[in-house]
Amino acid sequence: MRWDALFEDMEAQFAAENRLLQESEIAERVRIDAAGVGMADRLRASINLRVMVHLVSGSTLAGLLSHAGSQLLVLNEQQHQVLVPYAAIGRCSGLARHALTEPSVVRQRPDLGRALRALSRDRSNLALTLAGGSQGEVTLHGVIDRVGRDYVDFAVTGPGEARRAANVIEMAAVPFTVLRAIRSTQPAMA
Protein backbone atom coordinates (compact mmCIF):
# COMPACT_ATOMS: atom_id res chain seq x y z
CA MET A 1 0.00 0.00 0.00
CA ARG A 2 2.89 2.38 0.64
CA TRP A 3 4.09 1.93 -2.92
CA ASP A 4 0.65 2.83 -4.31
CA ALA A 5 0.58 6.07 -2.32
CA LEU A 6 4.12 6.92 -3.42
CA PHE A 7 3.31 6.40 -7.11
CA GLU A 8 0.03 8.33 -6.81
CA ASP A 9 1.91 11.20 -5.21
CA MET A 10 4.56 11.12 -7.97
CA GLU A 11 1.83 11.10 -10.65
CA ALA A 12 0.07 14.06 -8.98
CA GLN A 13 3.34 16.00 -8.86
CA PHE A 14 4.02 15.17 -12.50
CA ALA A 15 0.47 16.27 -13.50
CA ALA A 16 0.85 19.53 -11.53
CA GLU A 17 4.23 20.26 -13.16
CA ASN A 18 2.74 19.46 -16.57
CA ARG A 19 -0.19 21.87 -15.93
CA LEU A 20 2.23 24.64 -14.84
CA LEU A 21 4.34 24.03 -17.95
CA GLN A 22 1.25 24.23 -20.20
CA GLU A 23 0.03 27.41 -18.49
CA SER A 24 3.47 28.96 -18.84
CA GLU A 25 3.58 28.01 -22.52
CA ILE A 26 0.12 29.48 -23.11
CA ALA A 27 1.10 32.71 -21.35
CA GLU A 28 4.26 32.94 -23.46
CA ARG A 29 2.27 32.38 -26.67
CA VAL A 30 -0.14 35.16 -25.66
CA ARG A 31 2.83 37.52 -25.09
CA ILE A 32 4.30 36.57 -28.47
CA ASP A 33 0.94 37.13 -30.19
CA ALA A 34 0.57 40.52 -28.49
CA ALA A 35 4.04 41.51 -29.68
CA GLY A 36 2.83 41.05 -33.26
CA VAL A 37 -0.16 43.38 -32.88
CA GLY A 38 0.32 46.79 -34.47
CA MET A 39 -1.29 50.07 -33.48
CA ALA A 40 -3.36 49.99 -36.67
CA ASP A 41 -4.80 46.61 -35.61
CA ARG A 42 -5.81 47.98 -32.19
CA LEU A 43 -7.34 51.04 -33.80
CA ARG A 44 -9.12 48.97 -36.47
CA ALA A 45 -10.89 47.01 -33.72
CA SER A 46 -12.14 50.34 -32.34
CA ILE A 47 -13.87 51.61 -35.49
CA ASN A 48 -17.16 53.34 -34.56
CA LEU A 49 -16.04 53.86 -30.95
CA ARG A 50 -15.55 57.27 -29.40
CA VAL A 51 -11.82 57.64 -28.76
CA MET A 52 -9.46 60.32 -27.53
CA VAL A 53 -6.21 60.91 -29.37
CA HIS A 54 -3.52 62.76 -27.45
CA LEU A 55 -1.01 64.28 -29.85
CA VAL A 56 2.72 64.42 -29.10
CA SER A 57 2.42 68.20 -29.39
CA GLY A 58 0.09 68.29 -26.39
CA SER A 59 -3.41 68.78 -27.77
CA THR A 60 -6.21 66.23 -27.58
CA LEU A 61 -8.72 65.24 -30.26
CA ALA A 62 -11.91 63.34 -29.55
CA GLY A 63 -14.41 61.78 -31.88
CA LEU A 64 -15.82 58.67 -33.47
CA LEU A 65 -13.03 56.62 -35.06
CA SER A 66 -14.11 56.08 -38.67
CA HIS A 67 -10.92 54.78 -40.33
CA ALA A 68 -7.63 53.22 -39.32
CA GLY A 69 -5.18 52.76 -42.16
CA SER A 70 -1.56 51.72 -42.26
CA GLN A 71 -0.23 55.19 -41.35
CA LEU A 72 -3.20 57.29 -40.28
CA LEU A 73 -6.60 57.40 -38.63
CA VAL A 74 -9.69 59.50 -39.26
CA LEU A 75 -11.82 60.87 -36.44
CA ASN A 76 -15.32 62.23 -36.95
CA GLU A 77 -15.69 65.19 -34.64
CA GLN A 78 -19.07 66.80 -34.10
CA GLN A 79 -18.62 69.18 -37.04
CA HIS A 80 -15.54 68.03 -38.96
CA GLN A 81 -13.35 65.10 -39.88
CA VAL A 82 -9.73 65.00 -38.76
CA LEU A 83 -6.97 62.92 -40.33
CA VAL A 84 -4.17 62.10 -37.86
CA PRO A 85 -0.85 60.50 -38.87
CA TYR A 86 0.21 57.77 -36.42
CA ALA A 87 3.57 59.53 -36.03
CA ALA A 88 1.72 62.46 -34.39
CA ILE A 89 0.03 60.31 -31.74
CA GLY A 90 1.34 60.30 -28.20
CA ARG A 91 -1.38 57.99 -26.88
CA CYS A 92 -4.96 56.90 -27.47
CA SER A 93 -7.70 56.13 -24.98
CA GLY A 94 -11.10 54.53 -25.35
CA LEU A 95 -9.84 51.71 -27.60
CA ALA A 96 -11.34 48.24 -27.65
CA ARG A 97 -9.35 45.60 -25.74
CA HIS A 98 -8.85 43.39 -28.78
CA ALA A 99 -7.17 43.84 -32.16
CA LEU A 100 -8.39 43.29 -35.70
CA THR A 101 -6.00 42.58 -38.54
CA GLU A 102 -6.83 43.78 -42.03
CA PRO A 103 -6.72 40.81 -44.42
CA SER A 104 -7.06 43.02 -47.51
CA VAL A 105 -3.73 44.34 -48.77
CA VAL A 106 -5.63 46.98 -50.75
CA ARG A 107 -7.33 48.36 -47.62
CA GLN A 108 -4.02 48.30 -45.70
CA ARG A 109 -2.27 50.26 -48.41
CA PRO A 110 -3.76 53.79 -48.11
CA ASP A 111 -0.99 55.83 -46.58
CA LEU A 112 -0.51 59.47 -45.66
CA GLY A 113 0.75 60.49 -49.10
CA ARG A 114 -2.25 58.96 -50.88
CA ALA A 115 -4.69 60.57 -48.46
CA LEU A 116 -3.04 63.97 -48.94
CA ARG A 117 -3.05 63.56 -52.73
CA ALA A 118 -6.81 62.89 -52.59
CA LEU A 119 -7.31 66.06 -50.53
CA SER A 120 -5.17 68.00 -53.04
CA ARG A 121 -7.12 66.60 -56.00
CA ASP A 122 -10.43 67.59 -54.32
CA ARG A 123 -9.06 71.11 -53.57
CA SER A 124 -10.38 70.73 -50.03
CA ASN A 125 -10.13 73.68 -47.65
CA LEU A 126 -8.14 72.44 -44.68
CA ALA A 127 -6.65 73.45 -41.37
CA LEU A 128 -3.21 71.87 -40.92
CA THR A 129 -1.99 71.51 -37.35
CA LEU A 130 1.80 71.48 -37.36
CA ALA A 131 4.41 70.85 -34.70
CA GLY A 132 6.17 74.00 -33.60
CA GLY A 133 5.43 77.45 -32.29
CA SER A 134 5.29 78.70 -28.72
CA GLN A 135 2.22 76.59 -27.90
CA GLY A 136 3.73 73.44 -29.41
CA GLU A 137 1.51 73.76 -32.48
CA VAL A 138 0.79 76.09 -35.37
CA THR A 139 -2.38 76.00 -37.47
CA LEU A 140 -2.38 76.96 -41.15
CA HIS A 141 -5.56 77.36 -43.21
CA GLY A 142 -5.68 76.82 -46.94
CA VAL A 143 -5.43 74.22 -49.69
CA ILE A 144 -2.87 71.57 -50.61
CA ASP A 145 -1.53 72.47 -54.04
CA ARG A 146 0.89 69.57 -54.50
CA VAL A 147 2.06 66.49 -52.64
CA GLY A 148 5.64 65.32 -52.86
CA ARG A 149 7.18 62.15 -51.51
CA ASP A 150 7.53 63.55 -47.98
CA TYR A 151 6.02 67.05 -48.04
CA VAL A 152 3.05 69.12 -49.23
CA ASP A 153 3.00 72.51 -50.92
CA PHE A 154 0.29 74.35 -49.00
CA ALA A 155 -1.37 77.57 -50.20
CA VAL A 156 -1.97 79.45 -46.92
CA THR A 157 -5.09 81.64 -46.81
CA GLY A 158 -7.09 83.26 -44.06
CA PRO A 159 -9.53 80.98 -42.21
CA GLY A 160 -12.56 80.30 -44.41
CA GLU A 161 -11.12 82.06 -47.47
CA ALA A 162 -11.24 80.39 -50.87
CA ARG A 163 -7.96 79.46 -52.57
CA ARG A 164 -7.59 82.31 -55.03
CA ALA A 165 -4.34 84.00 -55.99
CA ALA A 166 -5.38 87.22 -54.21
CA ASN A 167 -6.12 85.33 -50.97
CA VAL A 168 -2.88 83.34 -50.78
CA ILE A 169 -0.74 84.73 -47.95
CA GLU A 170 2.18 82.38 -48.58
CA MET A 171 3.14 79.12 -50.22
CA ALA A 172 4.51 76.78 -47.55
CA ALA A 173 6.39 73.54 -48.14
CA VAL A 174 5.37 71.40 -45.15
CA PRO A 175 7.23 68.14 -44.37
CA PHE A 176 5.04 65.16 -43.42
CA THR A 177 7.06 64.86 -40.21
CA VAL A 178 5.57 68.04 -38.73
CA LEU A 179 1.94 67.23 -39.59
CA ARG A 180 -0.07 66.62 -36.42
CA ALA A 181 -3.65 66.79 -37.70
CA ILE A 182 -5.41 67.67 -40.95
CA ARG A 183 -8.92 68.97 -40.28
CA SER A 184 -11.55 69.50 -42.96
CA THR A 185 -13.09 72.93 -42.72
CA GLN A 186 -16.28 71.68 -44.35
CA PRO A 187 -18.87 70.09 -42.06
CA ALA A 188 -18.62 66.29 -41.94
CA MET A 189 -21.20 64.28 -43.82
CA ALA A 190 -23.70 62.48 -41.60
Side-chain angles (χ1 to χ4, degrees), residues 165-182:
N167 295 342
V168 175
I169 299 167
E170 71 173 298
M171 287 300 299
V174 180
F176 288 0
T177 55
V178 300
L179 290 173
R180 296 297 176 251
I182 298 97

Side-chain angles (χ1 to χ4, degrees), residues 106-174:
V106 173
R107 288 189 52 94
Q108 284 178 4
R109 204 175 295 149
D111 61 9
L112 184 57
R114 288 183 184 181
L116 294 171
R117 281 189 288 283
L119 292 170
S120 174
R121 182 184 57 245
D122 294 345
R123 308 302 292 159
S124 301
N125 286 320
L126 305 169
L128 299 186
T129 302
L130 312 176
S134 60
Q135 302 296 323
E137 295 177 340
V138 173
T139 300
L140 300 177
H141 296 271
V143 175
I144 297 172
D145 275 355
R146 180 178 27 241
V147 180
R149 181 179 39 165
D150 57 357
Y151 74 97
V152 296
D153 281 335
F154 194 69
V156 180
T157 64
E161 290 183 351
R163 199 273 185 237
R164 293 193 171 66
N167 295 342
V168 175
I169 299 167
E170 71 173 298
M171 287 300 299
V174 180

Side-chain angles (χ1 to χ4, degrees), residues 1-188:
M1 294 255 283
R2 270 177 81 186
W3 291 106
D4 289 339
L6 177 65
F7 288 128
E8 285 176 10
D9 184 48
M10 288 173 59
E11 286 178 15
Q13 286 178 8
F14 178 72
E17 287 175 13
N18 199 18
R19 264 193 315 278
L20 285 174
L21 185 62
Q22 285 178 335
E23 289 172 5
S24 174
E25 186 176 326
I26 289 169
E28 182 62 19
R29 285 184 183 179
V30 167
R31 283 190 288 275
I32 289 169
D33 286 347
V37 173
M39 184 69 164
D41 298 333
R42 279 294 307 282
L43 288 163
R44 200 172 292 111
S46 303
I47 298 291
N48 295 323
L49 294 180
R50 183 168 171 73
V51 300
M52 291 186 70
V53 178
H54 306 270
L55 302 179
V56 294
S57 54
S59 62
T60 301
L61 305 170
L64 198 67
L65 182 62
S66 65
H67 176 78
S70 62
Q71 297 179 353
L72 56 92
L73 64 81
V74 176
L75 283 179
N76 291 339
E77 295 178 322
Q78 191 171 12
Q79 295 277 329
H80 305 281
Q81 288 189 308
V82 184
L83 184 147
V84 182
Y86 291 159
I89 298 173
R91 71 181 192 276
C92 295
S93 54
L95 300 183
R97 295 278 301 153
H98 59 282
L100 180 63
T101 59
E102 177 57 68
S104 167
V105 174
V106 173
R107 288 189 52 94
Q108 284 178 4
R109 204 175 295 149
D111 61 9
L112 184 57
R114 288 183 184 181
L116 294 171
R117 281 189 288 283
L119 292 170
S120 174
R121 182 184 57 245
D122 294 345
R123 308 302 292 159
S124 301
N125 286 320
L126 305 169
L128 299 186
T129 302
L130 312 176
S134 60
Q135 302 296 323
E137 295 177 340
V138 173
T139 300
L140 300 177
H141 296 271
V143 175
I144 297 172
D145 275 355
R146 180 178 27 241
V147 180
R149 181 179 39 165
D150 57 357
Y151 74 97
V152 296
D153 281 335
F154 194 69
V156 180
T157 64
E161 290 183 351
R163 199 273 185 237
R164 293 193 171 66
N167 295 342
V168 175
I169 299 167
E170 71 173 298
M171 287 300 299
V174 180
F176 288 0
T177 55
V178 300
L179 290 173
R180 296 297 176 251
I182 298 97
R183 180 175 277 112
S184 65
T185 58
Q186 305 301 320

